[in-house]
Amino acid sequence: MKVYLVGGAVRDQLLGLPVSEKDWVVVGASVDEMLKKGYRQVGKDFPVFLHPKTNDEYALARVERKVGLGYTGFDFDASPKVTLEEDLLRRDLTINAIAQSEDGTLIDPYHGKEDLDKKILRHVSLAFAEDPVRILRIARFAARYKNLSFHVADETLILMRQMVNMGEVNALVAERVWKEWERALQEKNPEEFFFVLESCNALSVLLPNFDVSGVGIKALSRAASLSADADVRFAVSLFTFNLDQAKIICERYRVPNNYSELLMLLIKHYQDYQSAKKLSAIHLLEVLKAVDVFRREARFKKFLFACEIIAETLSELNNSEWLNQVYLAAKNIDMKAITAKNLQGNDIADLIKQTRLAAIENLIDDV
Ligand code: CTP
């Protein structure tokens, strides 16, 4: 049997980038041979194994054949007869289809190195079309390597459009979409993810109402230049959605709470953020409560940050400093004095509220 390093590790090493995960392909071996050598089988769908010591992933070379719509319908052959070239041929991009043998030699039948040099994201073969997740992957790679001047090859874009026309994107599983979307949000240029999806017509299927020339996309690129927080990036990018649209999208893709909650807060309370300096103490305390700031301070900071990015994008007011002062005034009330009164139940809550209101009113009077 022969073992080759493949995929992202070879690609990133050639790009001079750090390699986090190593994937290997094994040619000329059977499942039994792998098990005998102590590898642990993990793949549900394909014969994939973990190395007994390094825990790296070793997959038997395979060819795949699509038998149904969407992501689920696959048939595969991973017999010891499958060659390295055949395995590389079924991969998504030429830059992901370079193998490296144990002595360091590159095996690159589909000219991935040339595409790396030319900065092109190009599909290897028509087998690309067998996996619709690849549309999202390509958009994500574009987001990741935009700063290195990579772009999607025209012929790949055409193929992606054909896949969208065939209804492949409608058949994508929610979890897969979210996984790629979330990863794209963590890349250097997350806005590129949406541009690529738009250019292959997938965006209107995946995210109706998302406007790639709108405030959301500008705010997203601003957010990405300022912070790595994926939840802030997510929230500002969907800022123009109304509450119903946001809810539908978050439910459809089972977006985790930390993302969806921040988005909802931003949509609901951005106008309060804008008018914060004109609001009464009662209204300000209501906003603080709605944001649940006394229990969720870190999220409040993210809310302010997201509002700042939107405000900057729209050339509107930055009221973060003021809202933070309001919060601190309400938070730093003398709780010992309140407890010392030995009140019960609602009376305590009422006194806390009145004391907070008085503190905010004092602050307003001082300005
Ligand atoms: N691959 C593919 N089609 C997919 C998923 C993966 O062709 N839908 C192939 C590609 O050759 C890819 C390799 O499997 O390089 C490993 O996949 P994965 O670990 O998901 O991605 P990486 O390319 O390693 O990229 P990342 O840095 O994002 O992990």
Side-chain angles (χ1 to χ4, degrees), residues 6-9 11-12 20-21 23 62 71 90-93 95-97 131 133-134 137 140-141 144-145 176 179-180 183 187:
V6 279
R11 176 197 68 221
D12 286 341
S20 51
E21 220 184 69
D23 292 311
R62 66 177 186 264
Y71 192 66
R90 57 122 190 123
R91 290 174 184 265
D92 54 1
L93 295 174
I95 64 166
N96 289 341
D131 178 1
V133 170
R134 288 173 171 171
R137 280 174 61 89
R140 173 164 68 76
F141 283 122
R144 184 189 294 178
Y145 297 130
R176 299 299 310 244
K179 192 174 149 228
E180 295 297 329
R183 290 188 71 185
E187 301 295 359

Side-chain angles (χ1 to χ4, degrees), residues 183-196:
R183 290 188 71 185
L185 285 171
Q186 293 158 5
E187 301 295 359
K188 279 211 171 70
N189 291 91
E191 66 285 359
E192 205 55 31
F193 179 72
F194 298 96
F195 291 141
V196 170

Side-chain angles (χ1 to χ4, degrees), residues 215 239 270-271 273-275 307-319:
V215 172
F239 167 72
Y270 178 74
Q271 280 320 318
Y273 175 90
Q274 270 308 302
S275 43
C307 288
E308 268 168 47
I309 290 166
I310 296 295
E312 206 184 294
T313 311
L314 294 171
S315 303
E316 292 184 341
L317 299 173
N318 179 332
N319 282 333

